[in-house]
Amino acid sequence: MTREEESGVAGERTMLAERFHAADHSITLEHIPVPQPGPGEVLLKVAYCGICHSDLSLISGAFPPRADVVTQGHEVAGWIEQIGPGVHGWEIGTAVIPSAGRPCMECRNCRRGNFSDCMNLRLMAFDFDGGWAEYVVASATGLTRVPEGVPMDQAALLADAVSTPFAAVVRTAQVHLGNAVGVWGLGGVGTHILQLARLAGGVPLIAFDVDDAALERAKRLGADHAFRSDDPDLFSRVVEATGGRMIDVAFDAVGIPAVSEQAVRLLDVNGKLVTVGMSDKDLKIGTFADLALQRKQILGHLGYKVQDIAMLTELVAHGRLDLSESVSAVVPLAEIERGIRMLEQREGNPVRILVQP
Ligand SMILES: [Zn+2]
Ligand SMILES: [Zn+2]
């Protein structure tokens, strides 16, 4: 038993949690009181929680802190441990995935019932405590039940790591049967975009990366072609791969000017570039004339709707979407710093590394 546990208030349960401190951008492992669910909330016992690039961005300072001290981790799967006042329709012990976003219920979009476009969305692991802990409090309205046949480690991927790609493919890009699809950056986000674009009927599917191992994995998971983006003959390779019609939908999961410029150049007339993920770099897309003459479109994408997670659980449960290659490693919560380092250094070329409390 640690000192913190001994000094805790008599009878108060404590738990192990990772804590990010905005003052010096340090992280610590601490024993803190198990939180209590308030009205409309549930307490979850965390089964697994993913380590996401946006968690790293908070530590590095690329993403500005939104709380002085916060427990990180926003890709959770767990079991309902305790039910707060006013919550109906949920039972203790049910396996669930919480949504990471909490709408403010006050802005003009929330007042119209358009919660996914909330203008002051509060985010788990940034505004309030997340899942790199033994327990986490979640809003009951954002819960998705994990059906039979979906392992809890894969369920944790569905909050963000797979649902953001799902919404990018289905909602923002609206990939259709027969669309030629290009994906740049075959890490955690790009790999899932590729798998979902295949389900949506994209053909041919072309993967672009500078990492040969990532390209090999993309081919295993359904890419028809996998090209190094630094290949000087890239344009003619795409001409050949698409029979000259070029790319209908390009996804940029990298976020650097060289990628957006290359992707736009390889688009067909009326083609779309969809950028997925955060980057503070400038977007380069070529000339106004090219954009106008070719009627090309540039679309930004962020996030997902709660019902996207439910659709993904169905796809996994029915064997349509195989995420078995997506759990690259599992590290115990006590070794969270090792997990963060593995993702930072792309050790073993991970899709997702999970934390297990
Ligand atoms: Zn994430
Ligand atoms: Zn709002």
Side-chain angles (χ1 to χ4, degrees):
M1 184 171 274
T2 67
R3 193 160 278 280
E4 286 93 326
E5 276 176 306
E6 286 165 4
S7 62
V9 180
E12 191 175 51
R13 279 201 304 163
T14 64
M15 65 172 187
L16 188 63
E18 180 266 6
R19 305 289 273 167
F20 165 81
H21 304 266
D24 58 358
H25 285 252
S26 64
I27 64 166
T28 51
L29 272 169
E30 297 173 25
H31 283 96
I32 60 171
V34 174
Q36 287 295 303
E41 296 176 336
V42 296
L43 180 71
L44 304 182
K45 183 171 169 49
V46 177
Y48 295 95
C49 183
I51 304 177
C52 177
H53 276 283
S54 58
D55 298 312
L56 268 49
S57 299
L58 184 66
I59 299 171
S60 74
F63 198 109
R66 294 162 68 147
D68 292 340
V69 183
V70 75
T71 297
Q72 294 189 272
H74 55 275
E75 303 181 353
V76 179
W79 299 278
I80 297 177
E81 172 89 4
Q82 201 180 329
I83 294 175
V87 174
H88 304 284
W90 292 101
E91 283 172 30
I92 286 167
T94 304
V96 293
I97 303 161
S99 172
R102 278 192 187 194
C104 74
M105 311 305 279
E106 288 174 9
C107 71
R108 64 178 158 83
N109 287 332
C110 281
R111 288 203 308 267
R112 291 172 181 160
N114 179 10
F115 305 120
S116 48
D117 286 332
C118 172
M119 297 157 83
N120 311 308
L121 197 68
R122 296 179 68 240
L123 293 171
M124 178 186 283
F126 297 92
D127 296 289
F128 57 93
D129 287 341
W132 293 352
E134 290 175 78
Y135 298 93
V136 64
V137 165
S139 173
T141 52
L143 296 179
T144 302
R145 199 180 68 83
V146 180
E148 287 291 319
V150 178
M152 288 301 265
D153 55 350
Q154 292 186 23
L157 302 169
L158 301 186
D160 197 25
V162 190
S163 49
T164 293
F166 177 92
V169 168
V170 173
R171 298 185 188 282
T172 301
Q174 300 183 5
V175 171
H176 287 142
L177 208 60
N179 279 163
V181 174
V183 183
W184 272 258
L186 278 302
V189 171
T191 297
H192 295 135
I193 288 176
L194 183 86
Q195 287 179 281
L196 293 160
R198 187 179 171 88
L199 278 177
V203 67
L205 290 174
I206 310 174
F208 301 89
D209 207 300
V210 288
D211 182 325
D212 291 326
L215 289 173
E216 272 310 308
R217 179 174 56 207
K219 275 183 132 170
R220 267 201 313 280
L221 293 174
D224 300 295
H225 304 274
F227 297 144
R228 284 192 64 99
S229 45
D230 54 3
D231 182 343
D233 295 326
L234 190 67
F235 193 88
S236 54
R237 286 191 196 284
V238 173
V239 169
E240 198 183 331
T242 58
R245 69 188 173 104
M246 308 311 280
I247 291 170
D248 296 305
V249 185
F251 292 95
D252 176 359
V254 182
I256 59 170
V259 164
S260 58
E261 195 173 28
Q262 183 175 73
V264 169
R265 199 161 56 86
L266 294 172
L267 286 178
D268 192 5
V269 178
N270 293 312
K272 306 172 201 175
L273 168 67
V274 178
T275 67
V276 186
M278 299 283 190
S279 166
D280 55 3
K281 307 280 190 305
D282 283 330
L283 181 67
K284 262 183 101 177
I285 53 171
T287 66
F288 283 97
D290 177 53
L291 208 67
L293 289 167
Q294 305 281 317
R295 276 89 68 203
K296 291 174 179 174
Q297 302 172 45
I298 316 292
L299 304 166
H301 177 80
L302 180 77
Y304 54 90
K305 290 176 188 267
V306 175
Q307 60 261 45
D308 297 344
I309 298 179
M311 280 186 236
L312 284 166
T313 63
E314 291 296 317
L315 290 171
V316 174
H318 288 90
R320 300 292 201 285
L321 180 62
D322 179 9
L323 297 175
S324 52
E325 267 206 62
S326 297
V327 180
S328 306
V330 177
V331 297
L333 177 57
E335 295 173 31
I336 180 69
E337 288 196 58
R338 182 165 67 88
I340 291 171
R341 235 179 6 254
M342 284 165 74
L343 180 62
E344 254 168 8
Q345 296 166 2
R346 295 174 54 88
E347 218 177 290
N349 188 26
V351 175
R352 252 312 175 261
I353 298 163
L354 300 179
V355 178
Q356 188 176 25

